Amino acid sequence: MKQLNYDVRTIILQNVRTAERPAMPEHYTKSQYRILCNLIVQKKIEKRFFDFILLGLFGLTDWKKLDYSQMYTLIHVLTYYDYRKGEEKNG
């Protein structure tokens, strides 16, 4: 009878297991490093643009100081950045 004092949502949430996530690495991984290197080559990213993005996003000048989450964000930005936006339109 004690359960009658609770609403349905509370009863349901009491019986849900919490997801166990592995701990986030403190530093970027080797896989992230390889992805970043491939992106730089593939997208032909210049050093001054890379430094601008790094400073603008994280306030850092050395990419080696990035943690796992920051490196993930950097890779995401470099992957989906619209590089054609700065080009002049012909025609």
Side-chain angles (χ1 to χ4, degrees):
M1 288 297 181
K2 191 174 187 182
Q3 292 179 347
L4 294 176
N5 294 332
Y6 294 103
D7 65 341
V8 175
R9 184 176 190 276
T10 304
I11 294 171
I12 292 171
L13 292 178
Q14 284 177 348
N15 294 309
V16 174
R17 288 184 290 142
T18 58
E20 296 178 18
R21 294 182 181 178
M24 276 261 205
E26 290 184 25
H27 302 288
Y28 59 88
T29 62
K30 289 181 182 181
S31 298
Q32 286 179 319
Y33 173 74
R34 283 193 308 264
I35 292 169
L36 180 64
C37 290
N38 289 337
L39 268 174
I40 290 171
V41 171
Q42 179 185 10
K43 304 276 187 178
K44 300 175 185 169
I45 297 171
E46 296 178 6
K47 181 171 176 20
R48 32 178 221 160
F49 176 73
F50 183 80
D51 290 341
F52 170 75
I53 294 290
L54 198 60
L55 187 63
L57 288 175
F58 311 111
L60 297 173
T61 56
D62 186 12
W63 65 268
K64 294 176 186 174
K65 294 181 182 177
L66 295 175
D67 63 15
Y68 180 86
S69 179
Q70 290 172 327
M71 181 66 92
Y72 181 88
T73 302
L74 178 63
I75 289 170
H76 180 79
V77 167
L78 292 177
T79 301
Y80 294 105
Y81 190 82
D82 188 5
Y83 295 94
R84 297 173 296 156
K85 202 170 195 174
E87 297 177 1
E88 292 183 28
K89 295 180 181 178
N90 294 332

